[in-house]
């Protein structure tokens, strides 16, 4: 399935390895998407796996000085569900994470990994795009910030370069004047892949809607 497996312990080490000619390589964090894809033969014989699950400090949810909320690369779906900050200021993302698969999978699967897989069935893309989120891409060339709506080129295609990794996803907290909801439609009630999911944000003044955002 692969020839080389690196357990990466720092972001500097990861940047260095990504900058090397290691053939066909993939980053693994939770592994809940990548292992299935490998089992199905999507990536053929991989040369190198870069395991970032042991990088210290890359599992934080925090608020930046400019007010934006930052979800780092190793934050799992259950981390999101447990976060008081996200329950207050990013409720539709919490709702989406709650609808992902099983508790066991939510303990492993990362939100950033969900975004990188770039499947239209992935639940977290919808609320994060509604909240006008951006992803922070890092390489030896430096950092660049890409709006999530510009991150995707098509089904399972992104602008992520071979020497880059997604360090975090960030967004402005939803003000309390916004009413928000996430809904998922699937072929069964639990442990199901989305047929359709939807996030709606309504900016309210009393009963009057000033602005509406709908992502599908």
């Amino acid at each position: 399935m692969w020839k080389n497996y690196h357990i990466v312990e720092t972001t500097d080490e990861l940047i260095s390895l990504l900058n090397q000619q290691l053939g066909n390589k993939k980053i693994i964090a939770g592994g809940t998407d990548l292992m299935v894809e490998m089992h199905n033969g999507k990536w053929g014989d991989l040369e190198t796996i870069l395991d970032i699950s042991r990088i210290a400090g890359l599992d934080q949810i925090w608020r930046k000085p400019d007010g934006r909320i930052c979800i780092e690369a190793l934050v799992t779906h259950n981390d999101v569900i447990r976060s008081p900050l996200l329950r207050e200021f990013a409720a539709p993302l919490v709702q989406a994470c709650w609808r992902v698969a099983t508790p066991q999978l939510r303990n492993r699967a990362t939100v950033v990994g969900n975004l990188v897989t770039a499947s239209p069935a992935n639940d977290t893309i919808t609320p994060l795009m509604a909240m006008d989120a951006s992803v922070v891409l890092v390489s030896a060339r430096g950092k660049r910030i890409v709006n999530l709506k510009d991150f995707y080129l098509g089904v399972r295609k992104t602008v992520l370069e071979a020497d880059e990794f997604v360090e975090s996803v960030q967004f402005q907290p939803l003000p309390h004047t916004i009413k928000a909801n996430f809904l998922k439609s699937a072929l069964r009630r639990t442990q199901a892949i989305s047929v359709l999911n939807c996030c709606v944000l309504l900016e309210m003044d009393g009963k009057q809607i000033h602005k509406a955002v709908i992502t599908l």
Side-chain angles (χ1 to χ4, degrees):
M1 297 177 72
W2 60 75
K3 294 181 179 179
N4 305 297
Y5 193 98
H6 293 271
I7 297 175
V8 185
E9 295 187 350
T10 67
T11 54
D12 287 343
E13 182 186 358
L14 176 60
I15 291 168
S16 175
L17 287 167
L18 286 171
N19 203 40
Q20 296 175 26
Q21 298 299 320
L22 299 175
N24 189 14
K25 56 184 178 291
K26 286 292 175 183
I27 293 174
I28 192 169
T32 55
D33 282 333
L34 182 61
M35 294 304 292
V36 172
E37 291 172 348
M38 291 170 61
H39 178 74
N40 292 336
K42 177 178 174 65
W43 302 111
D45 290 327
L46 283 172
E47 287 286 330
T48 304
I49 296 288
L50 303 177
D51 185 341
I52 67 170
S53 62
R54 298 189 188 180
I55 296 181
L58 208 58
D59 59 351
Q60 302 300 307
I61 301 168
W62 55 287
R63 198 161 182 177
K64 302 174 70 173
D66 65 1
R68 293 176 70 83
I69 294 173
C70 182
I71 297 174
E72 295 185 336
L74 296 181
V75 171
T76 68
H77 292 77
N78 271 348
D79 289 335
V80 169
I81 293 169
R82 287 190 294 263
S83 168
L85 181 65
L86 296 179
R87 288 202 300 269
E88 182 174 0
F89 294 112
L93 177 61
V94 175
Q95 290 175 310
C97 288
W98 181 253
R99 293 300 308 275
V100 171
T102 63
Q104 294 90 339
L105 189 143
R106 291 195 297 268
N107 274 332
R108 292 292 305 169
T110 64
V111 172
V112 165
N114 204 226
L115 300 181
V116 172
T117 299
S119 165
N122 286 0
D123 299 313
T124 55
I125 295 174
T126 313
L128 285 167
M129 197 170 288
M131 293 188 291
D132 196 31
S134 299
V135 286
V136 180
L137 312 183
V138 180
S139 70
R141 294 173 282 117
K143 292 186 179 183
R144 63 183 179 125
I145 299 175
V146 178
N147 192 283
L148 192 60
K149 66 180 175 61
D150 300 320
F151 182 64
Y152 299 107
L153 300 175
V155 176
R156 297 185 180 274
K157 296 178 181 179
T158 73
V159 300
L160 190 67
E161 300 287 348
D163 64 341
E164 291 179 312
F165 74 99
V166 180
E167 181 185 62
S168 62
V169 57
Q170 57 185 24
F171 51 88
Q172 290 289 354
L174 292 176
H176 294 144
T177 54
I178 287 184
K179 305 297 183 184
N181 200 11
F182 170 86
L183 293 173
K184 174 175 176 173
S185 175
L187 298 180
R188 56 179 185 265
R189 291 186 177 182
T190 60
Q191 300 183 35
I193 294 173
S194 298
V195 174
L196 175 69
N197 57 47
C198 174
C199 182
V200 177
L201 307 181
L202 301 178
E203 187 175 340
M204 307 294 294
D205 181 8
K207 293 184 178 181
Q208 185 175 5
I209 299 172
H210 281 285
K211 182 181 178 181
V213 176
I214 301 173
T215 52
L216 299 170

